[in-house]
Amino acid sequence: MKVGYLGPKATFTNMAVNQQFPGVESVPFLTIPNCLDAMMADKVDVALVPVENTLEGSVNITLDYLIHEVFLPIHGEVTVPIKQHIMVHPFREDKWREIEVVYSHSHAIAQCHKFLHTELNGIACEYMTSTAAAAQFVKENPHINGAAIGNLLTAEEYGLKIVKHNIHDSMNNHTRFLILSKNPVHYSAATSHLVGHKTSLMVTLPADRSGALHQVLSAFAWRKLNLVKIESRPTKTGLGNYFFLIDLDRKMDDVLIPGAIAELEAIGCEVKILGSYPYYMTE
């Protein structure tokens, strides 16, 4: 099995792959569309891509590409805590507070604002294409008095020393990743625990019908089907035209969810099942 993921190596996406598919060959891709296109071309067997972050919200390129460009069923989801650390070249481990510049991705630097403001106030920050790129730069340029912000895998991959753990502002920052494949996926998920199951639907409302969204929600409510997420995205057919992505916190059954789908179709909605799958949480 080959697992494609949003690269480069040693990112949080790479961590999610290692935790869900330990020991499996993994292939990094430059962009999410490149990763999903490789899946469609059978260059990889599974694709793992980010879909939502606690602080940044939904990853729209993932949602839009899945809906408008390719159709890949969702076979799983894993949530990974985002823990950032500051790391330096081993030569500078004892004098890390004398660093003159911090390198990382713009999101990582923003997530560590409080630490940088209080502990390294006045130190310049330079944006890199990823946390892994920042770590690689620090590793390959020991003459520069700099540090990188990244995760544990980043430090291990590039041989840097972590001098301060958990410098991120929010302890509740997590990223959700989707596991996508044309075929059923079997994996051990040895380093994460099963939380439950979800069923994801795409619902397009009938045009010019008052109260249509209320009817959609009612179809789930009276059946006591709990929605853990509902989000609108443009259909790209004109201004004001949207579809809804709905996540239910239960596995597809033979009665309740099919009954809700039948009711939605009866009022003129189009419904597509995106997947019914387990979801996991890592430590």
Side-chain angles (χ1 to χ4, degrees):
M1 180 187 294
K2 287 185 179 180
V3 179
Y5 67 95
L6 175 64
K9 293 193 298 182
T11 58
F12 284 101
T13 315
N14 194 178
M15 288 182 65
V17 170
N18 292 347
Q19 290 165 343
Q20 292 302 108
F21 300 93
V24 172
E25 181 181 358
S26 58
V27 183
F29 290 90
L30 184 62
T31 67
I32 290 172
N34 286 346
C35 183
L36 299 182
D37 287 344
M39 176 77 259
M40 295 301 295
D42 297 322
K43 295 180 180 179
V44 294
D45 303 294
V46 178
L48 192 147
V49 291
V51 69
E52 184 183 16
N53 175 262
T54 305
L55 305 182
E56 305 295 333
S58 295
V59 182
N60 291 332
I61 184 62
T62 296
L63 298 175
D64 289 348
Y65 212 76
L66 281 177
I67 298 301
H68 298 293
E69 303 297 333
V70 300
F71 178 69
L72 290 169
I74 303 172
H75 289 284
E77 176 189 299
V78 56
T79 298
V80 175
I82 305 301
K83 298 180 180 180
Q84 304 284 13
H85 319 290
I86 193 160
M87 55 196 71
V88 298
H89 195 283
F91 294 163
R92 302 188 182 277
E93 183 177 7
D94 296 331
K95 298 181 179 180
W96 70 272
R97 288 192 175 275
E98 299 175 7
I99 59 174
E100 298 174 350
V101 60
V102 174
Y103 301 94
S104 198
H105 190 276
S106 58
H107 288 176
I109 290 174
Q111 290 165 5
C112 303
H113 169 74
K114 292 180 182 178
F115 173 84
L116 295 173
H117 179 69
T118 57
E119 300 290 333
L120 297 175
N121 193 11
I123 300 300
C125 294
E126 292 195 16
Y127 297 153
M128 306 291 282
T129 56
S130 67
T131 54
Q136 183 176 9
F137 181 81
V138 170
K139 174 64 175 179
E140 294 176 352
N141 295 274
H143 61 283
I144 295 178
N145 190 13
I149 294 175
N151 58 48
L152 289 173
L153 184 59
T154 304
E156 294 172 3
E157 179 72 23
Y158 295 101
L160 300 183
K161 293 292 185 179
I162 295 177
V163 292
K164 194 76 172 180
H165 288 79
N166 300 326
I167 65 170
H168 43 278
D169 297 345
S170 174
M171 298 301 160
N172 297 313
N173 188 15
H174 295 78
T175 296
R176 294 170 53 222
F177 298 90
L178 295 181
I179 298 168
L180 307 164
S181 178
K182 294 180 181 179
N183 304 305
V185 180
H186 303 285
Y187 50 92
S188 61
T191 58
S192 58
H193 65 273
L194 178 66
V195 178
H197 287 79
K198 290 183 180 179
T199 299
S200 294
L201 307 173
M202 171 186 167
V203 179
T204 305
L205 303 183
D208 299 325
R209 177 168 181 154
S210 299
L213 180 56
H214 173 74
Q215 288 181 297
V216 168
L217 298 178
S218 296
F220 297 110
W222 76 262
R223 290 178 173 85
K224 297 184 179 180
L225 293 172
N226 186 40
L227 308 187
V228 292
K229 186 176 183 183
I230 179 169
E231 178 175 3
S232 63
R233 294 294 302 152
T235 62
K236 300 187 178 182
T237 59
L239 288 174
N241 297 334
Y242 290 84
F243 61 85
F244 291 87
L245 297 173
I246 296 174
D247 289 346
L248 309 173
D249 68 345
R250 67 180 294 149
K251 187 186 300 185
M252 176 64 76
D253 59 2
D254 296 326
V255 178
L256 292 177
I257 297 179
I261 292 173
E263 184 174 335
L264 298 183
E265 292 174 338
I267 63 173
C269 295
E270 295 181 13
V271 183
K272 179 188 289 186
I273 301 172
L274 302 179
S276 187
Y277 50 90
Y279 66 97
Y280 298 84
M281 174 74 75
T282 68
E283 299 298 334

